[in-house]
Structures are given as structure tokens and as C-alpha cells.
């Protein structure tokens, strides 16, 4: 079985150092604080991002664009072997934003290039009505390169991120270990509808299980 493609050496050295440090840190708050200090420094390493973009443009094995993620613009750069954190890249064209969504883990994000728009939402309902939510939108925040923002799990982290200007925005995010929830929620601000988004691999398993019910019914 072929080995998975390796990140560039400089990136791998950084991620390995982070892994060693994070293993010695207890608690989400302390790990978030660690990456609050580390990520702005990493965002200034323009040579690393230039190499990643050249790899993507040339269709090289790393980063692996075939790995489907829950958000279309998302590219996995590194996954800690113990799943203590992951490093991800997002590429946004002019005016492109993610859907409004929550998270299953804490996150530290920032812009490596371009301007990063962040729109946060507060949930005003109590969640008692399945598939529905009432959201209040906060004023947008706009981050310059190397500036960061924090994301917290579940209702405290409902937001959308993207590119409010021309050109391309590169967002880099570090996410912590996810809580025991297999999905994130996607919100429609206008209609109040809430939809569960599953990772592609899990969604396919769920659909396969549902499709099997069709065959078992026929056999009866």
C-alpha cells in the first residue's frame, strides 16, 4: 500500500513541533492559547503557502484534493496522529462565504493572504424545535493577514467565513479534538431551517444503510 503524500519539510517540522507541544498541554483553553500564539507566526511564512499553492495548481499529490470535506473550500493539510488537532486551508474567491454553520470543536483561524471576513451569529431559541433556529447576526469582522479569530464549539461558534473583497483569500485554521458528534449544523438565516451536515464518508454509509432497507423489504 503506497504511503500517503508528505507535506513539505518545513510544514511537517512545524506540525511535528506542535504535536510534541500539544501532547504536554492539558485542556482545551490551554491548547487554544498555545495556537493563539503560534498561528500568527505561521501565517507569516509566505514561502510555505506559495509552495502549497504551486502544488495545488500543478495537481501534485500533496495536498490531497480528493479528500472530500464537509465544507467545499476546505483542504486538509495535517491531522495529528492522536487527533489532538488538525490544520486546514480554505481558499475563497471574491465574495465567497461558507454557509452559516457551527463547529464540533474549538478553532483558531486567520488569513495568510487577502482579507478574511467573519460573521458571527447568536442563537436566540432554545433548540427545542428540531430543524429550526432563530439567529441574530452580529456586525462582520474583517481580518488582515496574520490576524486571528477564535471559534468555540456548538452554539457558541455559529459563524460564516469568507472573502469580502476582490482577489483570493487564504484562511488557515487549527481545530481541536471534536466532541462526540458526527455532524455540524448548517443554518439558513432567512428561513430558520437547520440541516445536519455529515462527513462524506459517514453520509455514504448512512445512505447505504437506508438503501439496504429497500432490499430487505423486497425479500420479505
Amino acid at each position: 500500500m503506497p504511503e500517503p503524500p508528505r507535506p513539505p519539510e518545513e510544514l511537517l517540522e512545524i506540525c511535528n513541533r506542535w504535536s510534541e507541544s500539544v501532547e504536554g498541554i492539558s485542556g482545551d483553553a490551554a491548547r487554544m492559547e498555545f495556537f493563539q500564539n503560534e498561528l500568527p507566526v505561521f501565517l507569516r511564512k509566505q514561502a510555505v503557502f506559495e509552495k502549497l499553492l504551486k502544488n495545488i495548481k500543478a495537481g501534485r499529490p500533496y495536498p490531497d484534493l480528493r479528500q472530500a470535506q464537509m465544507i467545499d473550500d476546505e483542504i486538509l493539510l495535517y491531522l495529528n496522529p492522536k487527533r489532538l488537532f488538525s490544520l486546514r486551508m480554505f481558499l475563497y474567491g471574491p465574495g465567497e462565504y461558507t454557509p452559516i454553520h457551527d463547529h464540533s470543536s474549538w478553532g483558531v483561524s486567520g488569513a495568510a493572504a487577502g482579507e478574511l471576513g467573519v460573521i458571527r451569529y447568536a442563537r436566540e431559541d432554545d433548540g427545542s424545535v428540531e430543524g429550526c433556529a432563530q439567529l441574530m447576526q452580529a456586525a462582520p469582522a474583517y481580518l488582515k493577514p496574520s490576524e486571528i479569530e477564535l471559534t468555540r464549539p456548538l452554539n457558541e461558534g455559529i459563524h460564516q467565513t469568507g472573502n469580502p473583497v476582490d482577489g483570493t483569500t487564504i484562511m488557515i485554521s487549527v481545530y481541536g479534538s471534536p466532541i462526540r458528534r458526527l455532524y455540524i449544523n448548517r443554518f439558513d438565516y432567512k428561513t430558520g431551517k437547520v440541516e445536519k451536515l455529515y462527513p462524506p464518508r459517514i453520509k455514504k454509509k448512512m445512505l447505504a444503510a437506508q438503501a439496504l432497507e429497500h432490499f430487505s423489504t423486497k425479500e420479505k
Side-chain angles (χ1 to χ4, degrees):
M1 184 175 179
E3 292 186 5
R6 285 169 57 88
E9 283 303 318
E10 183 178 2
L11 177 57
L12 189 59
E13 287 176 8
I14 292 169
C15 291
N16 286 340
R17 179 174 60 80
W18 287 351
S19 291
E20 292 177 6
S21 298
V22 168
E23 285 191 30
I25 300 173
S26 300
D28 288 345
R31 288 175 177 172
M32 284 183 74
E33 183 178 359
F34 171 79
F35 283 109
Q36 279 180 261
N37 294 323
E38 289 288 325
L39 191 60
V41 178
F42 177 62
L43 293 173
R44 298 187 187 100
K45 295 186 178 297
Q46 296 294 293
V48 173
F49 302 114
E50 184 179 6
K51 180 172 285 188
L52 291 173
L53 294 174
K54 286 181 177 178
N55 284 358
I56 292 170
K57 181 181 177 182
R60 297 192 177 103
Y62 181 90
D64 188 357
L65 302 184
R66 298 170 299 175
Q67 293 190 43
Q69 307 295 330
M70 282 192 281
I71 302 296
D72 289 340
D73 304 300
E74 184 177 355
I75 302 170
L76 177 64
L77 298 179
Y78 179 82
L79 180 61
N80 172 263
K82 296 183 179 179
R83 297 185 179 270
L84 299 178
F85 70 92
S86 63
L87 177 67
R88 298 168 189 267
M89 170 189 279
F90 298 77
L91 299 175
Y92 300 121
E96 291 182 350
Y97 275 78
T98 64
I100 303 170
H101 62 282
D102 65 8
H103 280 269
S104 296
S105 67
W106 57 262
V108 182
S109 302
E115 187 170 312
L116 177 62
V118 181
I119 307 174
R120 296 192 175 278
Y121 297 83
R123 187 161 185 172
E124 297 192 296
D125 66 299
D126 60 6
S128 59
V129 180
E130 181 72 20
C132 296
Q134 296 177 1
L135 301 180
M136 175 178 288
Q137 179 179 317
Y142 302 104
L143 306 182
K144 302 297 184 184
S146 78
E147 294 180 340
I148 61 169
E149 65 106 18
L150 305 182
T151 301
R152 289 177 171 79
L154 305 178
N155 288 338
E156 291 187 67
I158 300 174
H159 71 174
Q160 59 184 156
T161 55
N163 179 5
V165 295
D166 292 333
T168 301
T169 292
I170 302 174
M171 183 176 84
I172 301 296
S173 296
V174 176
Y175 295 114
S177 301
I179 61 175
R180 292 186 176 277
R181 188 181 72 163
L182 298 177
Y183 62 88
I184 64 173
N185 285 312
R186 179 170 64 186
F187 300 86
D188 188 312
Y189 182 66
K190 293 182 179 179
T191 66
K193 181 180 178 181
V194 183
E195 178 185 4
K196 292 182 175 67
L197 290 183
Y198 291 88
R201 178 175 57 85
I202 294 176
K203 183 178 179 181
K204 289 171 184 175
K205 287 184 177 181
M206 293 170 58
L207 291 174
Q210 293 170 10
L212 279 172
E213 294 178 5
H214 168 79
F215 292 98
S216 60
T217 303
K218 277 192 169 185
E219 289 175 359
K220 294 177 182 178

